[in-house]
Amino acid sequence: MLYNKVFNKAKKIIISGPCSAETEEQLMHTVSQIAATGKVDMLRAGIWKPRTKPGMFEGVGSEGLLWLSNAKKQTGLPIAVEVATSKHVEEAMKHEVDMVWIGARTTANPFSVQEIADSLKGLSIPVFVKNPINADLELWSGALERIIKSGVEKTGMIHRGFSNYGNTEYRNPPMWHLPIEMKRRYPEMLLICDPSHICGNRQSLRLISQRAIDLDFDGLMIETHHNPDQAWSDARQQITPSLLAELLNDLKWRNEHSDKKEFIDALQQLREQIDMIDDELLSLLSHRMKIADKIGAYKKENNITILQKIRWNDIFKNALDRNIELGLSEEFMMKYLEAIHLESISHQNNVMNNQ
Ligand code: PEP
Ligand code: MN
């Protein structure tokens, strides 16, 4: 019932609360401010914290679940926690937690995910699976499949970015193409974004949240704390509940569809143009590869190598000199040329060695 009420594709869900439950006072203070915004559907708080180094604050443990269930009574909002072991699931169930999620570090470990999946058998609460810390979609799908196989019917995904050594802009770069691919694989499943762990700071939260909305994510999980600078974990990325309310107000919520006739007609016309161009591009690419085949035949006759670095350096340079004028990003041009180059090599290889 909760899943249908709170987790509903027709409505964006907002989950918020501190990174960690620290003290009963901190939790109550934070959640009462959250509830006062009237904009949050569910409370979160980390009870068991997977920390990178020993000696860091590792969560208050089960005692925090008592505080969370008081928070639920006081605010009337459902509660969610991260679980990493079967014991955590058991404890969470004892305290009537409404939703659990599997954290990024746990998703990367099939043994742990299987242990959690087994302990969820027969339970009816929603389970969200965060992406694994590494950019591996199979690991993410694998974890979801383990949970689904154990009989959990209400599953969802949380995108929290992927760790990347040396990246300074984001704590965990979003790599948007990966959650987009997961949306393609699981079109019916809820997908929410956790901009807090993507950003690792407060400044970019708005930008990343808006990006997620523009990509039709089903909601946001954002960390809040009544006194973020003093937080015991993830202090740099947490915001106050009142800043959260401002942020949510500023976001431009968009619909996936519109019934407006002019809009539908204009979109249809533009899409027809795109389909025609895509068709032409594919025919041109096919034509281009036929020419590469001919070059392959000449190279074979004259015993010349397939790869000629100078020629390809020229092609890359000429194309990249034009990227601004063409309105195409350098990154896209590189990817496009590399793909063409590889296909061309494979065609010539075929001509030279298999014919
Ligand atoms: C969290 O949500 O506090 C957390 C630990 O996140 P992640 O698993 O994404 O690192
Ligand atoms: Mn956190």
Side-chain angles (χ1 to χ4, degrees), residues 19-20 44 49 171 197 223 233-234 237:
C19 175
S20 306
R44 65 148 281 158
K49 301 300 298 178
R171 178 177 173 194
H197 291 90
E223 288 184 342
S233 60
D234 289 352
Q237 71 199 29

Side-chain angles (χ1 to χ4, degrees), residues 138-207:
E138 299 319 314
L139 214 42
W140 198 357
S141 320
L144 278 166
E145 278 158 32
R146 285 176 198 277
I147 301 297
I148 293 168
K149 259 187 147 172
S150 75
V152 172
E153 283 173 12
K154 300 150 196 159
T155 47
M157 305 177 269
I158 304 176
H159 168 231
R160 50 77 81 194
F162 301 87
S163 76
N164 184 4
Y165 185 73
N167 185 298
T168 49
E169 192 180 6
Y170 294 111
R171 178 177 173 194
N172 293 292
M175 302 188 188
W176 294 106
H177 57 291
L178 300 180
I180 290 172
E181 168 58 16
M182 289 299 274
K183 219 165 143 55
R184 194 192 61 76
R185 289 189 193 179
Y186 303 96
E188 299 306 322
M189 200 180 287
L190 291 182
L191 169 62
I192 66 177
C193 181
D194 168 351
S196 304
H197 291 90
I198 292 177
C199 297
N201 64 49
R202 293 168 199 151
Q203 299 77 272
S204 336
L205 283 178
R206 189 170 304 217
L207 179 90

Side-chain angles (χ1 to χ4, degrees), residues 14-300:
I14 307 294
I15 304 174
S16 188
C19 175
S20 306
E22 298 164 3
T23 63
E24 184 161 23
E25 201 192 7
Q26 165 255 4
L27 187 67
M28 289 311 181
H29 214 115
T30 306
V31 301
S32 57
Q33 290 180 9
I34 290 175
T37 68
K39 292 180 182 296
V40 171
D41 305 291
M42 180 173 249
L43 300 172
R44 65 148 281 158
I47 299 295
W48 303 280
K49 301 300 298 178
R51 306 309 301 278
T52 306
K53 298 242 170 88
M56 295 165 102
F57 171 61
E58 290 186 329
V60 290
S62 302
E63 188 189 1
L65 289 171
L66 287 172
W67 311 337
L68 254 182
S69 63
N70 284 343
K72 176 171 163 177
K73 272 187 216 125
Q74 189 176 307
T75 61
L77 291 169
I79 52 176
V81 294
E82 172 180 344
V83 290
T85 65
S86 54
K87 184 94 185 105
H88 294 168
V89 174
E90 199 185 301
E91 288 289 302
M93 290 308 98
K94 263 197 241 156
H95 293 86
E96 297 180 9
V97 164
D98 300 285
M99 183 273 258
V100 294
W101 80 86
I102 297 181
R105 289 157 195 80
T106 310
T107 307
N109 181 348
F111 284 135
S112 305
V113 175
Q114 192 56 52
E115 178 189 320
I116 297 169
D118 291 341
S119 68
L120 287 165
K121 278 200 180 110
L123 301 179
S124 60
I125 55 160
V127 179
F128 273 61
V129 179
K130 283 199 172 192
N131 66 256
I133 39 178
N134 52 327
D136 182 339
L137 284 192
E138 299 319 314
L139 214 42
W140 198 357
S141 320
L144 278 166
E145 278 158 32
R146 285 176 198 277
I147 301 297
I148 293 168
K149 259 187 147 172
S150 75
V152 172
E153 283 173 12
K154 300 150 196 159
T155 47
M157 305 177 269
I158 304 176
H159 168 231
R160 50 77 81 194
F162 301 87
S163 76
N164 184 4
Y165 185 73
N167 185 298
T168 49
E169 192 180 6
Y170 294 111
R171 178 177 173 194
N172 293 292
M175 302 188 188
W176 294 106
H177 57 291
L178 300 180
I180 290 172
E181 168 58 16
M182 289 299 274
K183 219 165 143 55
R184 194 192 61 76
R185 289 189 193 179
Y186 303 96
E188 299 306 322
M189 200 180 287
L190 291 182
L191 169 62
I192 66 177
C193 181
D194 168 351
S196 304
H197 291 90
I198 292 177
C199 297
N201 64 49
R202 293 168 199 151
Q203 299 77 272
S204 336
L205 283 178
R206 189 170 304 217
L207 179 90
I208 292 294
S209 304
Q210 186 65 55
R211 189 64 63 80
I213 289 167
D214 291 347
L215 291 172
D216 197 33
F217 275 56
D218 299 298
L220 300 169
M221 182 194 257
I222 299 183
E223 288 184 342
T224 46
H225 192 290
H226 74 96
N227 186 359
D229 285 334
Q230 299 304 316
W232 297 0
S233 60
D234 289 352
R236 291 197 317 151
Q237 71 199 29
Q238 300 200 63
I239 54 175
T240 58
S242 68
L243 266 179
L244 173 76
E246 262 180 46
L247 187 153
L248 294 173
N249 253 342
D250 291 350
L251 292 176
K252 293 190 181 59
W253 299 91
R254 314 198 200 268
N255 302 315
E256 195 188 356
H257 302 289
S258 159
D259 296 333
K260 242 169 70 194
K261 182 160 176 354
E262 294 136 62
F263 167 78
I264 295 173
D265 290 349
L267 194 67
Q268 165 112 8
Q269 273 186 16
L270 292 170
R271 284 185 170 158
E272 277 166 12
Q273 284 180 36
I274 281 192
D275 288 350
M276 266 159 43
I277 292 175
D278 280 347
D279 253 15
E280 278 171 41
L281 283 174
L282 290 175
S283 309
L284 278 172
L285 283 172
S286 160
H287 187 57
R288 191 194 189 290
M289 292 309 156
K290 290 201 177 93
I291 296 177
D293 289 344
K294 278 192 195 154
I295 292 182
Y298 279 120
K299 284 183 180 166
K300 184 179 184 178

